[in-house]
Amino acid sequence: MAKKTSGQTKGAAARARRAKRRRRKIILVCVELFVLCGALLWIWTNAKMDKINTDKNFQAKDVENEELTKETRDVLGEYTTIALFGLDNRDANSYSSGNTDVIMLARIDKDTKEVRLVSVYRDTFLKMADLDNPGAYSKANAAYAVGGAEQAVRMLNTNLDLDIKEYVSFDFDAVAEAVDILGGVEIEVTDEECVHLNNYCIETSEVTGKSYDPLPGGGTYNLNGVQAVSYGRIRYTAGDDFKRTERQRLVVNKMVEKALKSNVGTINDLIDAVFPKIKTSLGKSELIAMAMDAFNYKLGESQGFPSELRNEVVSISYQQSDADCVIPKDLASNVKQLHDFLYGTTGYNVTDSVQGISDEIVYRTGVTAEGSE
């Protein structure tokens, strides 16, 4: 075998050096492109978050639940829990007060990204303010009307042994707009639901300024924004408000499913149209972090609260009237079940505060865990 000459050896070495330099340049260009894309994504996301109406007056310290033990705080700290309030307001972009047509808890597992939803029935008889206030007990949906988002979050923390520090409020128009941009949501509607849906569509259309076509009868339809909102408002069928909250969670599930399958253009349109129509305590950094994880989220199980209940007519002191309410059987038992469902804390012991509220509700209504009077 012929030996390589000195010139051949030097040539091979030179080629190797040139190839190495090319690889370095390619790697450097790739890194620069990656950094540039990351910077552009951050700028784009940052700009989108500016569209959200941030509640700068909301302070976590004002809704803090001081009754919770360190052990409970540690467990709750492993998750992100956000209160969602759907306002029954007829004026667009009015988020300072109003009854809450929708009260949901969105619990996000920080590790698995699983999201669980719990609907708190709007007519649930709970404590609104301090226990020494004779008018402190009312329907859950009145809390927002009494003191805005701060009072509504404090009501949830106080009655449910939670440590919620963030909220998102929205109205009919925000949901209708989102559904339309996503191209509608496919939902099966019964004949009975169809009648009420068409009736609700009249008002929903007037409030949102959006059009709709009345449904001819029961069947599976791709509901537009007005129809989907109206479907979620139905309460005059078997199941009353319990079935109503199921419909609301179904609409949310369908919206999330479509959003996760949407292209970048649709998501961009969704952000531009809907973000200005919500109000939240979440800061820009939290919103950006959640946005970056958006496509990793997955919807898990959902349920209503209270899970054990009874309907009763109860005297509402500050209204000086009687009202149909959902009575927990009893509150302490339901709160234990809620913590098990959301946080996996079997055998949870409620705080003295929740036990006191539970006893007061039993005293006022006669409804116990066994349902006896």
Side-chain angles (χ1 to χ4, degrees):
M1 182 180 295
K3 293 183 178 180
K4 291 184 179 180
T5 64
S6 174
Q8 289 174 326
T9 301
K10 290 180 179 180
R15 287 192 296 274
R17 286 194 296 272
R18 287 195 295 272
K20 188 175 183 179
R21 284 197 294 271
R22 282 197 299 271
R23 286 195 297 271
R24 286 176 178 172
K25 288 181 179 179
I26 292 172
I27 293 172
L28 182 60
V29 170
C30 289
V31 170
E32 289 174 344
L33 287 174
F34 179 79
V35 172
L36 178 61
C37 288
L40 290 174
L41 178 61
W42 186 88
I43 292 172
W44 178 84
T45 306
N46 198 53
K48 296 300 179 184
M49 296 306 157
D50 282 336
K51 296 178 178 290
I52 292 180
N53 184 9
T54 302
D55 187 350
K56 296 180 180 178
N57 295 321
F58 186 90
Q59 299 293 324
K61 63 181 178 60
D62 295 331
V63 298
E64 184 177 0
N65 190 345
E66 298 179 354
E67 296 287 329
L68 300 178
T69 64
K70 181 181 182 303
E71 181 182 4
T72 299
R73 290 181 188 277
D74 290 342
V75 171
L76 299 183
E78 297 175 7
Y79 304 84
T80 298
T81 306
I82 302 172
L84 308 178
F85 300 116
L87 301 180
D88 187 13
N89 287 339
R90 302 303 185 267
D91 298 326
N93 301 318
S94 176
Y95 303 106
S96 59
S97 63
N99 288 339
T100 42
D101 225 30
V102 177
I103 306 173
M104 282 190 188
L105 308 174
R107 186 236 63 185
I108 306 170
D109 189 310
K110 294 179 180 179
D111 294 327
T112 67
K113 307 304 177 185
E114 182 204 44
V115 181
R116 289 193 174 188
L117 297 175
V118 171
S119 298
V120 178
Y121 301 129
R122 51 171 283 170
D123 293 338
T124 307
F125 190 65
L126 297 173
K127 182 173 81 73
M128 295 297 104
D130 297 330
L131 278 171
D132 57 359
N133 181 344
Y137 288 79
S138 181
K139 294 184 178 183
N141 73 331
Y144 204 107
V146 170
E150 181 182 308
Q151 178 64 43
V153 171
R154 190 161 57 241
M155 177 271 295
L156 292 172
N157 284 342
T158 301
N159 288 273
L160 309 183
D161 270 355
L162 297 177
D163 195 27
I164 301 171
K165 295 184 175 67
E166 309 292 355
Y167 81 91
V168 176
S169 293
F170 53 91
D171 57 17
F172 295 164
D173 192 40
V175 178
E177 185 74 20
V179 171
D180 284 340
I181 291 173
L182 291 170
V185 289
E186 187 174 284
I187 291 177
E188 184 178 356
V189 181
T190 67
D191 287 325
E192 185 182 17
E193 289 173 332
C194 182
V195 174
H196 297 294
L197 185 152
N198 286 335
N199 290 335
Y200 274 116
C201 276
I202 298 172
E203 182 187 32
T204 305
S205 178
E206 292 175 353
V207 172
T208 62
K210 300 179 183 299
S211 61
Y212 72 98
D213 292 321
L215 299 183
T220 299
Y221 299 95
N222 188 56
L223 304 182
N224 73 359
V226 171
Q227 294 166 333
V229 169
S230 299
Y231 174 79
R233 296 180 65 193
I234 298 171
R235 64 181 302 184
Y236 302 108
T237 61
D240 299 317
D241 199 38
F242 321 124
K243 186 64 178 177
R244 182 173 184 253
T245 58
E246 284 185 15
R247 295 188 188 98
Q248 292 169 351
R249 294 195 299 273
L250 177 60
V251 171
V252 171
N253 286 343
K254 294 290 185 178
M255 290 173 67
V256 171
E257 287 175 3
K258 294 206 73 171
L260 293 177
K261 296 176 182 177
S262 298
N263 56 38
V264 175
T266 300
I267 297 299
N268 186 62
D269 292 343
L270 192 65
I271 291 172
D272 287 342
V274 177
F275 274 23
K277 297 181 179 182
I278 66 176
K279 188 171 185 177
T280 181
S281 61
L282 289 161
K284 188 183 292 185
S285 58
E286 292 95 341
L287 288 167
I288 290 176
M290 293 178 70
M292 294 299 186
D293 265 342
F295 287 96
N296 294 322
Y297 294 144
K298 53 187 178 183
L299 283 175
E301 298 177 69
S302 65
Q303 67 175 37
F305 179 91
S307 55
E308 299 295 329
L309 52 90
R310 207 168 88 192
N311 286 301
E312 289 289 335
V313 175
V314 182
S315 175
I316 306 296
S317 301
Y318 77 92
Q319 292 178 339
Q320 295 183 338
S321 63
D322 295 338
D324 288 316
C325 293
V326 172
I327 313 300
K329 295 188 344 182
D330 55 8
L331 181 63
S333 300
N334 277 280
V335 169
K336 291 178 181 179
Q337 194 277 336
L338 177 72
H339 278 252
D340 185 14
F341 176 74
L342 288 180
Y343 310 110
T345 49
T346 56
Y348 175 74
N349 293 317
V350 301
T351 59
D352 291 342
S353 176
V354 165
Q355 187 60 59
I357 297 170
S358 183
D359 293 342
E360 180 70 12
I361 293 175
V362 170
Y363 173 75
R364 292 184 180 223
T365 67
V367 178
T368 67
E370 292 75 29
S372 60
E373 297 185 354

